[in-house]
Amino acid sequence: MCGIIGYTGPRAAVPILIDGLKRLEYRGYDSAGLAVVADGRLSEVKAVGKVHQLEEALAAHAGLEEKSGCGIAHTRWATHGAPSTPNAHPHLDESGQIAIVHNGIIENYQELRRYLEGKGCHFRSQTDSEVIANLIAEAYEGDLLAATAATLEQLNGTYGIAVVSVRHPGLIVTARKGSPIVIGIGKGENLVASDVAALLAHTREVIYLDDGDIAVVTADRIDLRNVKNVPVEREIAKIDWDMGAAEKGNFPHFMLKEIFEQPETIENAIRGRIDHSMGTAVLAGMNLSPRELATISRIVIAGCGSSLHAGMLGEYYFEDIAGVSTSVEQAAEFRYRNPIIEPNTLVIPISQSGETADTIAAVREASAKGGVVTALCNVVGSTIAREAGRGIYLHAGPEISVASTKAFSSQVVVLLLYALMLGRNRRLSRSDGEELAREIEAVPGLIREVLREAPKIKEIADRYARFEDFFFIGRGCLYPTALEGALKLKEISYIHAEGYHAAELKHGPISLLDERHPVLALANDIPGKDKIIGNIQECRARKSPVVAVVTRGDSSVVKMTDDVIEIPPCSRFIAPLPTVVALQLFAYYVAVARGCEVDQPRNLAKSVTVE
Ligand code: F6R
């Protein structure tokens, strides 16, 4: 969703802001803009569309790009008001002296707008954000920090903001409540951003603001205060992602690069987490002793989208491997449905970004009800990682493509490790634990084998790219995998794709099947295969073309399908991983064949920070 970058220091601000915006593009947006304070002037430039359109608009501002100074910039994903130049950020107060960029939603903006209009203020946009600039201007008596703090007190809702003023060259005021802000510490310069990806080119040392924090940032000083205006110290964190991780390299798209990174990202997720001598997993971030673990009587998993699908696999793992009763909930449903959480309930929020609004709310609900919360996140220092207090990082590196691939597979691997640890804490024998540990360690190799099939998967995808509707079916652990495969296809290729439990087809959707509705059947040679063979026959009888994922060397399914994608042999717990990689490749090549914008699909945002 929306992205923020700000810079203060001796270098020319505009190129740094533009580069930062480009690194935030992956989050999804529909307009962009920047404001720079230089030579005693506040200049703003905005454009609908992509950052390169903003660069084109900059051509009309001769000399601005070379000016050193301080500035803020923003990519906007429209919520209040259509994507348009007036609605794009930054927003200036009416007098044009103060500029703000804002992520989040101001819930009482209409009331504040009426109040300001009553005082003669004229608004240029339909956004909820413009009120912030005018409220700061109204409260301003020479101190930008004090005026911003006074304004924030009047706001209901969420914000990550950055503020500059022509009267305070070289100074940025930034604050957060519910929407992340991270300060990048440079040498003789400092930066502000909503996401570390925008800072990597300049620094690895950052400070994450806590909710309620407000900071004054200049080139050589960072003054941090809490909600009560009391100076506070915040830890300096080191980012261990390198620049290459946030660049495409030789790949045409981030999504393809991230699919191909999976052998390494899974190795990273496993590294140092298996104890062969005990046949178990060691997950340090859990912070629970074996005795405390043994008291867990129930697990509730909450997440959205792909993270929800990973959670559904977690349910199979925790119940089957560890024997702990588990349920999975869409995080939005969890937060509003008044779930039962007992002291011995382990709540596992799953979120790649750690910033998904509904999952954050689920964490708060679970914590308020006294559950033991351990989060699975990829982004270090993200809101969920910090609020949960304990958890397990995925170590997948930055996931730039909007469609989740490597984060999903790492979530699944970490859930397997988690189930192994819980299993060994209860009924799993050391030898069974060791067997599962070995299977988990073999996953990167299995995925490398699937990646070698990419040319063949592309060839199949090219032939199926003309269809407009798809069904994905699976059973057991391959049921959530089918849901994930359908989600990948629909989000990046805009083909209508539905994932179903294979048994569910007969209960309604089968009425749609005909030669225009291909079925992608997950028919790996694991328990349940015989049943899915029956389901494939039902689809064939209705003339649906069938693409089957099968286990290499298993000829039993081949003759009843139009096309097959082969997966190396593996157990039912492991099968989702190589299978999902094949489905990611299938979705990717279909989207490319249809000329879709793979990394930034329309209407989608990388982290969904609104309800
Ligand atoms: C799908 C996808 C989304 C996310 C969902 C949750 O490819 O990326 O469905 O999985 O928005 O995001 P996180 O995991 O960041 O909470």
Side-chain angles (χ1 to χ4, degrees):
M1 294 200 142
C2 307
I4 290 175
I5 173 78
Y7 172 80
T8 174
R11 292 193 280 161
V14 171
I16 294 168
L17 297 177
I18 292 287
D19 177 70
L21 289 181
K22 285 183 180 163
R23 294 180 191 280
L24 294 171
E25 282 195 295
Y26 76 98
R27 300 177 65 87
Y29 68 106
D30 38 46
S31 57
L34 57 82
V36 171
V37 178
D39 295 346
R41 287 187 55 196
L42 173 58
S43 315
E44 57 151 358
V45 188
K46 313 204 261 193
V48 175
K50 298 292 177 192
V51 176
H52 69 82
Q53 278 147 310
L54 178 64
E55 290 182 281
E56 281 159 28
L58 269 164
H61 296 257
L64 189 61
E65 290 190 54
E66 291 84 49
K67 288 202 172 125
S68 63
C70 135
I72 52 176
H74 190 260
T75 47
R76 173 175 186 256
W77 188 83
T79 56
H80 296 65
S84 68
T85 309
N87 287 340
H89 298 218
H91 291 291
L92 272 54
D93 76 299
E94 215 183 354
S95 71
Q97 308 233 320
I98 291 166
I100 65 106
V101 288
H102 166 231
N103 288 355
I105 288 185
I106 304 305
E107 285 158 7
N108 59 337
Y109 82 98
Q110 280 171 317
E111 184 189 320
L112 294 169
R113 188 171 168 132
R114 273 196 301 274
Y115 160 77
L116 288 163
E117 280 169 343
K119 297 192 132 202
C121 183
H122 293 99
F123 283 83
R124 288 174 276 237
S125 79
Q126 299 151 310
T127 66
D128 54 330
S129 309
E130 195 181 353
V131 292
I132 302 173
N134 285 306
L135 287 172
I136 295 174
E138 193 196 34
Y140 183 78
E141 286 174 354
D143 182 341
L144 193 59
L145 172 70
T148 307
T151 298
L152 298 181
E153 271 180 26
Q154 301 178 62
L155 307 180
N156 296 338
T158 55
Y159 53 77
I161 59 162
V163 186
V164 293
S165 163
V166 72
R167 302 215 203 146
H168 299 271
L171 184 147
I172 302 174
V173 176
T174 184
R176 90 159 257 173
K177 186 179 148 211
S179 196
I181 288 287
V182 54
I183 299 173
I185 307 169
K187 290 196 172 55
E189 60 183 15
N190 286 310
L191 297 103
V192 168
S194 54
D195 181 328
V196 288
L199 303 176
L200 287 177
H202 309 285
T203 181
R204 296 291 152 72
E205 293 201 330
V206 300
I207 296 171
Y208 294 99
L209 293 197
D210 278 352
D211 268 355
D213 284 355
I214 182 163
V216 176
V217 181
T218 59
D220 50 14
R221 195 171 56 94
I222 297 166
D223 178 9
L224 287 162
R225 314 208 161 208
N226 68 12
V227 74
K228 298 198 170 83
N229 199 20
V230 176
V232 286
E233 300 237 335
R234 300 274 173 245
E235 212 179 298
I236 297 178
K238 290 239 185 307
I239 306 298
D240 57 7
W241 296 349
D242 62 19
M243 271 287 284
E247 281 170 3
K248 271 196 285 226
N250 293 328
F251 286 90
H253 296 103
F254 278 108
M255 182 176 178
L256 191 63
K257 177 183 179 237
E258 287 161 7
I259 291 173
F260 271 82
E261 275 173 1
Q262 289 176 105
E264 288 78 41
T265 50
I266 289 175
E267 273 159 9
N268 291 342
I270 298 170
R271 186 169 301 116
R273 288 176 167 170
I274 289 183
D275 173 358
H276 285 287
S277 67
M278 292 300 288
T280 190
V282 183
L283 299 170
M286 285 277 304
N287 247 344
L288 290 173
S289 68
R291 183 179 282 275
E292 285 168 318
L293 266 190
T295 64
I296 299 296
S297 56
R298 202 175 134 239
I299 295 175
V300 178
I301 302 175
C304 303
S306 293
S307 296
L308 176 64
H309 296 154
M312 290 171 75
L313 281 166
E315 181 177 16
Y316 287 83
Y317 297 156
F318 287 125
E319 295 209 334
D320 226 325
I321 297 169
V324 185
S325 161
T326 305
S327 55
V328 190
E329 299 222 23
Q330 211 286 340
E333 198 54 26
F334 178 91
R335 66 185 285 193
Y336 284 120
R337 157 188 99 68
N338 197 13
I340 297 171
I341 303 292
E342 287 146 334
N344 294 343
T345 304
L346 174 65
V347 180
I348 308 180
I350 305 182
S351 174
Q352 184 286 128
S353 61
E355 300 297 346
T356 299
D358 284 323
T359 315
I360 294 173
V363 171
R364 291 177 183 158
E365 180 69 17
S367 303
K369 286 195 150 93
V372 181
V373 183
T374 65
L376 253 66
C377 288
N378 191 36
V379 178
V380 176
S382 57
T383 303
I384 292 175
R386 287 174 328 131
E387 288 205 12
R390 49 179 131 201
I392 309 165
Y393 281 120
L394 304 176
H395 300 311
E399 190 178 66
I400 305 291
S401 163
V402 164
S404 185
T405 55
K406 62 177 181 173
F408 174 81
S409 55
S410 291
Q411 286 167 345
V412 175
V413 164
V414 168
L415 286 164
L416 268 170
L417 292 168
Y418 213 147
L420 170 60
M421 184 181 74
L422 266 176
R424 286 288 293 123
N425 182 249
R426 324 168 162 236
R427 65 181 189 177
L428 202 66
S429 70
R430 186 193 295 217
S431 60
D432 286 347
E434 180 53 11
E435 172 67 24
L436 181 56
R438 272 198 300 269
E439 287 185 40
I440 295 171
E441 283 180 322
V443 170
L446 298 176
I447 290 180
R448 283 191 183 96
E449 290 185 51
V450 177
L451 294 174
R452 283 199 282 274
E453 296 292 305
K456 184 161 177 234
I457 296 172
K458 176 180 185 313
E459 190 253 310
I460 297 172
D462 286 345
R463 280 188 281 113
Y464 283 82
R466 66 190 168 83
F467 288 97
E468 292 303 331
D469 300 277
F470 256 89
F471 283 96
F472 284 63
I473 57 170
R475 289 171 172 263
C477 291
L478 295 177
Y479 164 47
T481 315
L483 298 184
E484 178 60 11
L487 176 62
K488 284 299 84 105
L489 185 67
K490 80 181 111 193
E491 66 182 326
I492 61 168
S493 74
Y494 315 141
I495 290 175
H496 166 232
E498 294 197 53
Y500 270 99
H501 191 284
E504 191 63 22
L505 271 190
K506 283 195 281 295
H507 298 282
I510 201 164
S511 64
L512 289 167
L513 294 192
D514 60 19
E515 59 285 347
R516 291 167 302 144
H517 290 80
V519 175
L520 209 149
L522 305 184
N524 309 42
D525 192 12
I526 54 174
K529 186 186 84 174
D530 294 348
K531 303 266 180 248
I532 204 140
I533 286 180
N535 302 129
I536 291 175
Q537 302 283 25
E538 291 156 10
C539 300
R540 299 281 296 166
R542 272 107 196 145
K543 298 195 172 58
S544 280
V546 175
V547 184
V549 174
V550 302
T551 301
R552 195 172 56 222
D554 177 10
S555 55
S556 59
V557 190
V558 175
K559 50 186 175 297
M560 64 186 75
T561 60
D562 297 274
D563 290 282
V564 293
I565 298 171
E566 289 185 330
I567 298 296
C570 53
S571 77
R572 69 196 159 111
F573 294 136
I574 302 294
L577 287 154
T579 303
V580 85
V581 173
L583 300 184
Q584 293 164 353
L585 285 169
F586 180 78
Y588 171 78
Y589 288 122
V590 168
V592 170
R594 289 167 73 99
C596 298
E597 205 170 326
V598 175
D599 285 334
Q600 290 161 41
R602 69 182 177 211
N603 304 336
L604 293 184
K606 184 63 185 162
S607 61
V608 181
T609 51
V610 293
E611 282 188 49

